[in-house]
Amino acid sequence: MKQAKRERLSASGWRVGSAADFLSLSPEEAAFVELKLSLSESLRAYRNALGMTQIELAKRLRSSQSRVAKMEAGDPSVSADLLLRSLLAVGARRPEIARAITRKRLRRGVSLSS
Amino acid sequence: MKQAKRERLSASGWRVGSAADFLSLSPEEAAFVELKLSLSESLRAYRNALGMTQIELAKRLRSSQSRVAKMEAGDPSVSADLLLRSLLAVGARRPEIARAITRKRLRRGVSLSS
DNA sequence: TGACAATATGTCCAATCGGACATATCTACT
DNA sequence: AGTAGATATGTCCGATTGGACATATTGTCA
């Protein structure tokens, strides 16, 4: 992915809703980002369900708290690889992962004048 | 992933069936490898369905024939990221990807004395 | 308000990945 | 056998990723 686009993306913060691209993301790129965000959310859900802190999860993953935070935030520096591995590590099996992928993400609105 | 393990894995050629690990892969690592292999197979299926050669697909992906071959072969140097992106590029949508992930791979037997 | 745990953000450097190229192997046809 | 197209394998080097650390922000108590 052209990191220029990534930067524009991450710069957009949470507006990456289901219409990810008033930035110039190709449909495929947008779909990919969405897919990763679904995995992110799923990971956080698993961690919460297990009642773990990010530090604890990081330990289980042999990673660091900051990386876990980034995983859950959908940071562009986090790959789908890492998300999938992490999901498997918290006990998700294929069917759950498949469901996470199918499920569209909750809309996080773009409220301009909150 | 400890690349030592990767090497042992790839060295094992096609024996990476559903019991991927008479090599010392942790269950999660094994599950992850299996998952990627499912995506690989799915990608090849898509390409065949589209009647494309690896070269044509490579062009569409702005990649190279050799990388496409590696994707389809489940080469350890190929990430799930690349597989997912490629699947999206050949037209797979989330539900198809989810199905690919759910589906267990076809057993490719270990026949010793052919 | 202050203190503390949890989470988020920014940066660095080593490890991994990916496009490209060369070259080998396979397949089908004559 | 010889040729050609398709696929596989090996390697290189620039690009991306990830663990680690520092530091900032947030949330929840008293």
Side-chain angles (χ1 to χ4, degrees):
Chain A
M1 194 175 292
K2 299 302 150 301
Q3 89 174 30
K5 286 183 184 168
R6 297 198 139 176
E7 277 156 12
R8 268 176 292 149
L9 216 211
S10 63
S12 81
W14 253 117
R15 259 128 347 136
V16 186
S18 48
D21 36 358
F22 52 105
L23 307 153
S24 58
L25 291 180
S26 78
E28 289 84 8
E29 284 173 329
F32 182 62
V33 170
E34 292 276 322
L35 196 155
K36 287 210 297 180
L37 287 173
S38 293
L39 297 177
S40 294
E41 286 186 357
S42 188
L43 181 62
R44 191 189 296 259
Y46 266 91
R47 179 173 65 81
N48 286 336
L50 294 175
M52 301 170 81
T53 69
Q54 290 183 344
I55 293 183
E56 291 166 332
L57 177 53
K59 184 160 305 182
R60 160 122 50 137
L61 301 177
R62 297 154 178 269
S63 178
S64 61
Q65 179 269 325
S66 56
R67 197 129 290 277
V68 171
K70 280 162 191 168
M71 285 190 230
E72 293 184 353
D75 187 285
S77 80
V78 174
S79 70
D81 268 85
L82 186 58
L83 289 168
L84 289 171
R85 259 199 260 270
S86 300
L87 279 167
L88 291 170
V90 294
R93 304 292 87 172
R94 294 208 194 192
E96 286 90 15
I97 292 177
R99 226 173 311 123
I101 286 182
T102 305
R103 186 170 356 267
K104 276 226 169 306
R105 296 179 33 261
L106 315 77
R107 257 290 218 174
R108 192 73 55 124
V110 189
S111 43
L112 293 182
S113 62
S114 155
Chain B
M1 192 176 295
K2 298 303 150 298
Q3 89 172 32
K5 286 183 185 168
R6 296 196 142 178
E7 277 157 12
R8 268 178 292 150
L9 214 211
S10 64
S12 81
W14 253 116
R15 257 124 353 133
V16 186
S18 51
D21 35 359
F22 53 105
L23 307 152
S24 57
L25 291 180
S26 79
E28 288 85 8
E29 285 173 328
F32 182 62
V33 170
E34 293 274 323
L35 197 156
K36 287 210 296 179
L37 287 173
S38 293
L39 297 177
S40 294
E41 287 187 356
S42 189
L43 180 62
R44 190 187 297 256
Y46 266 91
R47 180 173 64 81
N48 286 334
L50 294 174
M52 302 171 81
T53 68
Q54 291 183 344
I55 292 183
E56 291 166 334
L57 177 53
K59 184 161 304 183
R60 159 122 50 137
L61 300 177
R62 297 155 179 268
S63 178
S64 61
Q65 179 271 324
S66 56
R67 196 129 292 278
V68 171
K70 280 162 190 168
M71 286 190 228
E72 293 183 353
D75 187 285
S77 81
V78 174
S79 70
D81 272 85
L82 186 58
L83 289 168
L84 290 172
R85 259 199 258 272
S86 300
L87 279 168
L88 291 170
V90 294
R93 304 292 88 170
R94 292 205 196 198
E96 287 89 15
I97 292 177
R99 223 169 317 120
I101 285 181
T102 305
R103 189 176 343 275
K104 277 228 169 306
R105 299 179 32 261
L106 315 76
R107 258 290 218 175
R108 192 70 58 121
V110 188
S111 45
L112 293 183
S113 60
S114 156

